[in-house]
Each structure stands twice: as structure tokens, then as C-alpha cells.
Amino acid sequence: MYKAIKISAGRGGWGGPLVIQPTDEKNMIVSVTGGGIDGLTKKIAEMTGGTAGDGFSTGIPEDKIAVVIIDCGGTARCGVYPKKRIPTVNLMQTGPSGPLAKYITEDIYVSGVKPENLSYADGSEPVTAPGITEKEDTKVKEDGSSGKQSILIRIGKAVGGVVGKFFQAGRDTIDMVIRHILPFMAFVSVIIGIINGTGLGNIIAKGISPLAGNLIGMIILSFICAIPVISPIIGPGAVIAQIVGVLVGEQIGAGNIKPAMALPALFAIDAQVGGDFVPVGLALGEAEPETINVGVPAVLFSRMITGPLAVVIAWLASFLLPY
Amino acid sequence: MNALAKAAEWFINLFNLGGQNFMGLVTGIIPTLVVLITFVNALIALIGQEKMDKFAAGCSKFFLLRYTVLPVLSMFILCNPMAYTFGRFLEEKYKPAFYDSAVSFCHPITGLFPHANAGELFVYLGIAQGITALGYSLGALAILYFIVGVVVILIRGIVTERLTLLFMKRR
């Protein structure tokens, strides 16, 4: 017998509350948190009577999922499941953000959830229904009166359409700048200010220069990033790659690392790219659960070979740089 | 008192330096970025999804295109993370390799086409800032990052495809 529970947003969290009741078809409580089943997933499974599953290392068919638990700081993952209308619980306090922000709504998504935010539902709220297909963007078909319209009207409509698309593109762009680019610039500037003002830069230079300053060091760096237990941990949002990128850039600017090393460094700090996102990315490509089971290790192990190889190729190409 | 004043000055200097850096980023990068991203977004909207789907389905049959043109185009048109939905045109055994190939291009593309992954620009921009600080232009770095990126995703696609087939046989 499955029990319904109410999941509310935690302190600083957003969205919800969701009421989750597993059914015979949809009984999986799935944890997509970079491997393993986290505590909250276990608690939800225990309370509802559903089955906890690890969605990172094993593929779970989407039509069996009652609720999915993620830990996404606001890049890609937090929008993927809401877009598919699968109830989503985020352990982090993220609100609607990322490229899929518009799909993150209060009726399908709740964040900042801790075990104390779970309670048995008293039946007063409706159960959050998973799998209601998202509203297709209704395409307004030009009605059948074409041919009768004068050329002037047709040209007018076409121009209007193009202008509308450009205007929408501008709106999306400004949204992107405000939501993603400016916050990251603020964050980077704080780090750089502190590094330059405190002399911390000299210490970092001593740590980074031997690794990012020569070919052997960079091959080692890329190999470390590609180790299958490390890559899913340092992957999310490319935050670590971006911070290291800024630090290496600072050292190039200061003359501690040769500018030609910029190209191989770009690959050395990024061998883990998307290593945390394999099951979600595969699910976006409509892969079968068996494919996901095989695909996660295939991608992660491939990186141990191709990560260092990419550095060598980039190093060879760097001789084409004019500096 | 003197020491306190010194400490306060030292403290506020950290944020003055940070502020200068922020000002440089905002005025140096954002204007061009906004115009470029707007243009490309509009272009993509004008081309339309259906034409892209047809083209992608055609590309998926050949391995050379599957791990070069297909991931590059999907990243350019659909951006991170929706680019991975193009995996649906492929047979199951090729899906992990396509994902690996596509995701590995989500940073090399940002040197030339920042719209594709505007949330993660600083992998490239961070390092590129060092080159700018030395007074060099970024053109060569951005183009080589793109080209080497294509070579790397092709190799990554092939290696991951082999490993996927190997692991599938073992099960």
C-alpha cells in the first residue's frame, strides 16, 4: 500500500508543496545526485512505500518514476525533469533558473528540501500528477485564406514575423545576460579582487604553474579530472572548470604561464565536461534504460583516454598560435 | 587608529580591484555579446526546428558526420542542454557516443558562438582574459579552440562508441 506524502520547500527553497503518491506503475523514487542514493530519497521511499533507485548509475524508465530527487545549483538539470512534467525535488535551494527556467513551476518542482519538510498528506491537497504531457507550443497555422490575401498584407506579415523573432531573440538574450552572465561576472570579479589584493595570487601561481604551465603537468591535470569517481563530482555547471579557467588566465596575464599554453589548458581543465550529466543527457536523447546503464561507464572511461589525448592534440595545434 | 585605517583601506581595496575587474568585463564583453547572441537566436528562430530535424536525421547515418557536424550543429542551434535531444535520431548503440561528443563541444563552441552555452562562458573567457591582458587578439585562439574541439569530439565519439559496444556485448 502506497502512502501519499507532502513535500514542502525548505528554508530558502522555492516551489511546491508537492503531494507524491506512488502507484503500481509509477513507484520509483529516483535519486539523480551524481551516484548513490541520498538520504532524502531513502526517507521518501520509506514514507511512501515506493522503491528508491539510483538514476545516475542505472537507467530507470521515465514512466515508472513517481518523483525524482536532484542536487542542481541552477544550470541544466533542474529544468530537465520539470520539462517532462516529472515531479522534481531539488536538494539545493535553486529557484527557476537555467536555460529551462520556464518549465520550473510551483506545481511540479520544489527546492531546498530537507527530511523535516516531509509529512504525510492529510488528503486535503490534490496529488501532484506526474506525466501530464507538457503543453505543446500551439502552432498557429495560417488559416486557409491564403491566396486571397493581397501581396501587401503578405509582405507586411512576413516583415512582422521577422521583427517579432528578432525582438523575442533580444528579450531572451537580455534575460540570459541578467540570469547567467552578469552573476558569474560578479562572482569572478570578487575572486579576482581578493586574489590580486591579498597576494594570494602568488601562492596560487606556485600551485597552478607547474600543472598548467607545461605539457606533462597538463596531461596529469586532465587525467585527474577524468577519473570516473572525480569527474561527476567536479562537473556540475562547469563551475570548477570556470574558476580554474579564470585562475589560469590570471597567470597567463601575469606572465607566469606562456600564452601558447592557453589552448592545451582549455582542454586540460575540461576533461570532466558533462561527466555528471550523462544519464540526463542520454534521457534527453530518448535513450533506453539499458543504454543508460552501459553509456555512463562508457563515457566516463572514454574520458580517461580522450582527456589526455585532447591535451596533446591541443598542444600540437598551439604551435599555430601567433604567440 | 592608524593601523585601523590601514586595515580598512586594505579591505576596501580588495573590492575596488574586484569592481574594476567587473567594470572591464561588463563594458568589454557584454555589449558585443548581447548583439551577437540576439542575432544568432533570431537566425535560429528563422531557420526553424523542422528543417533542422530533417538535416539531423540525414547526418546521423554516417559516422564521420555523426560525431562532427551533428554535435556542432545541435549545439549551435539548440544550445546546452537541449542539444542532447538530437540523440533521438540515432540508434541506441550510438547514443552515449553522441552525447559524449556533443557535451564535449559545449565549451569549444563558446569562443566563436557564445550563445550556445552562455551560462558557462568563463572556461574560455577566463583563460582568454590572460591573452587579452598581454595585448594579443583572441581570433586565433577562438578559431583553434573550435577546430581542435571538432577533432577531439570526433575522437571521443569513436572511442566512446567502441567502449559502448564492448560493454553491451559483456552484458
Side-chain angles (χ1 to χ4, degrees):
Chain A
M1 183 58 201
Y2 298 112
K3 288 203 179 95
I5 62 162
K6 183 166 143 188
I7 305 173
S8 314
R11 189 182 285 264
W14 188 90
L18 306 182
V19 178
I20 301 298
Q21 173 151 38
T23 59
D24 287 335
E25 301 87 57
K26 292 179 191 292
N27 63 356
M28 295 299 296
I29 316 294
V30 180
S31 177
V32 190
T33 50
I37 297 174
D38 82 302
L40 190 80
T41 310
K42 283 184 193 142
K43 184 90 191 288
I44 294 176
E46 206 176 279
M47 287 174 73
T48 56
T51 315
D54 175 1
F56 184 80
S57 9
T58 52
I60 292 168
E62 272 158 27
D63 52 10
K64 289 219 168 83
I65 299 178
V67 58
V68 59
I69 290 85
I70 57 172
D71 60 342
C72 173
T75 46
R77 199 175 327 182
C78 57
V80 168
Y81 294 101
K83 182 171 189 294
K84 295 170 189 270
R85 295 295 296 172
I86 296 173
T88 304
V89 174
N90 196 347
L91 301 177
M92 315 267 260
Q93 296 164 350
T94 317
S97 67
L100 303 175
K102 64 180 167 196
Y103 298 106
I104 299 174
T105 51
E106 289 169 342
D107 61 337
I108 201 75
Y109 176 90
V110 58
S111 68
V113 178
K114 300 251 170 351
E116 63 264 26
N117 305 121
L118 306 177
S119 60
Y120 286 105
D122 52 14
S124 61
E125 280 120 340
V127 172
T128 304
I132 303 170
T133 43
E134 61 187 87
K135 271 180 255 159
E136 290 287 322
D137 295 332
T138 40
K139 285 222 175 67
V140 184
K141 286 254 175 194
E142 295 290 320
D143 45 28
S145 62
S146 63
K148 283 182 184 167
Q149 286 175 344
S150 77
I151 287 187
L152 213 59
I153 292 177
R154 290 226 301 268
I155 291 176
K157 271 194 173 168
V159 172
V162 172
V163 170
K165 278 180 176 140
F166 267 89
F167 187 61
Q168 184 56 40
R171 215 178 346 214
D172 290 347
T173 305
I174 296 299
D175 204 43
M176 180 61 109
V177 168
I178 290 172
R179 273 174 196 269
H180 294 284
I181 300 177
L182 278 173
F184 213 89
M185 285 181 170
F187 165 60
V188 164
S189 298
V190 171
I191 292 181
I192 288 185
I194 291 174
I195 287 174
N196 287 347
T198 56
L200 204 63
N202 299 329
I203 301 168
I204 293 170
K206 287 203 185 90
I208 281 190
S209 300
L211 269 182
N214 63 75
L215 179 64
I216 304 295
M218 277 196 283
I219 290 175
I220 294 171
L221 180 63
S222 68
F223 186 77
I224 295 171
C225 291
I227 294 173
V229 287
I230 294 180
S231 54
I233 299 170
I234 61 176
V239 173
I240 293 186
Q242 293 187 88
I243 294 172
V244 178
V246 170
L247 296 177
V248 171
E250 282 283 290
Q251 297 312 318
I252 291 174
N256 294 329
I257 295 175
K258 276 183 287 177
M261 294 315 254
L263 190 61
L266 282 165
F267 288 91
I269 64 173
D270 213 18
Q272 75 283 3
V273 57
D276 59 307
F277 201 66
V278 190
V280 189
L282 285 171
L284 283 171
E286 294 169 17
E288 301 288 334
E290 299 83 58
T291 312
I292 298 178
N293 286 342
V294 175
V296 174
V299 171
L300 295 185
F301 282 109
S302 159
R303 294 297 173 84
M304 307 246 289
I305 305 164
T306 59
L309 194 59
V311 174
V312 175
I313 296 169
W315 177 72
L316 290 173
S318 74
F319 289 101
L320 296 171
L321 286 168
Y323 33 79
Chain B
M1 193 59 218
N2 218 346
L4 267 180
K6 274 258 163 64
E9 270 172 36
W10 179 86
F11 183 72
I12 203 67
N13 180 48
L14 300 183
F15 301 101
N16 280 335
L17 286 172
Q20 280 167 21
N21 187 71
F22 185 69
M23 202 59 199
L25 291 176
V26 171
T27 55
I29 293 174
I30 286 188
T32 314
L33 200 66
V34 163
V35 180
L36 176 64
I37 295 180
T38 302
F39 173 74
V40 178
N41 280 348
L43 192 72
I44 292 165
L46 288 173
I47 294 171
Q49 181 75 44
E50 292 105 54
K51 282 196 198 105
M52 270 314 299
D53 284 0
K54 239 182 240 172
F55 188 78
C59 279
S60 62
K61 293 189 189 85
F62 309 96
F63 91 90
L64 202 61
L65 300 181
R66 197 159 61 219
Y67 304 129
T68 53
V69 175
L70 190 61
V72 171
L73 268 184
S74 63
M75 200 44 88
F76 181 85
I77 305 271
L78 298 177
C79 309
N80 186 37
M82 293 319 285
Y84 317 122
T85 57
F86 266 14
R88 70 181 186 277
F89 296 116
L90 298 170
E91 284 178 56
E92 286 294 319
K93 58 184 173 185
Y94 301 137
K95 282 180 180 175
F98 170 76
Y99 165 77
D100 198 8
S101 184
V103 81
S104 297
F105 205 63
C106 76
H107 297 130
I109 198 172
T110 55
L112 292 176
F113 303 110
H115 74 281
N117 194 7
E120 302 176 356
L121 290 179
F122 273 87
V123 178
Y124 170 74
L125 277 186
I127 287 183
Q129 273 195 301
I131 302 294
T132 313
L134 294 174
Y136 299 114
S137 76
L138 289 177
L141 182 66
I143 290 169
L144 280 176
Y145 192 24
F146 190 94
I147 294 172
V148 175
V150 174
V151 175
V152 167
I153 64 171
L154 173 62
I155 295 172
R156 214 160 255 182
I158 294 170
V159 172
T160 307
E161 186 185 299
R162 295 283 128 169
L163 285 175
T164 309
L165 295 175
L166 189 78
F167 290 161
M168 277 183 165
K169 226 180 254 172
R170 273 206 206 150
R171 297 235 164 183

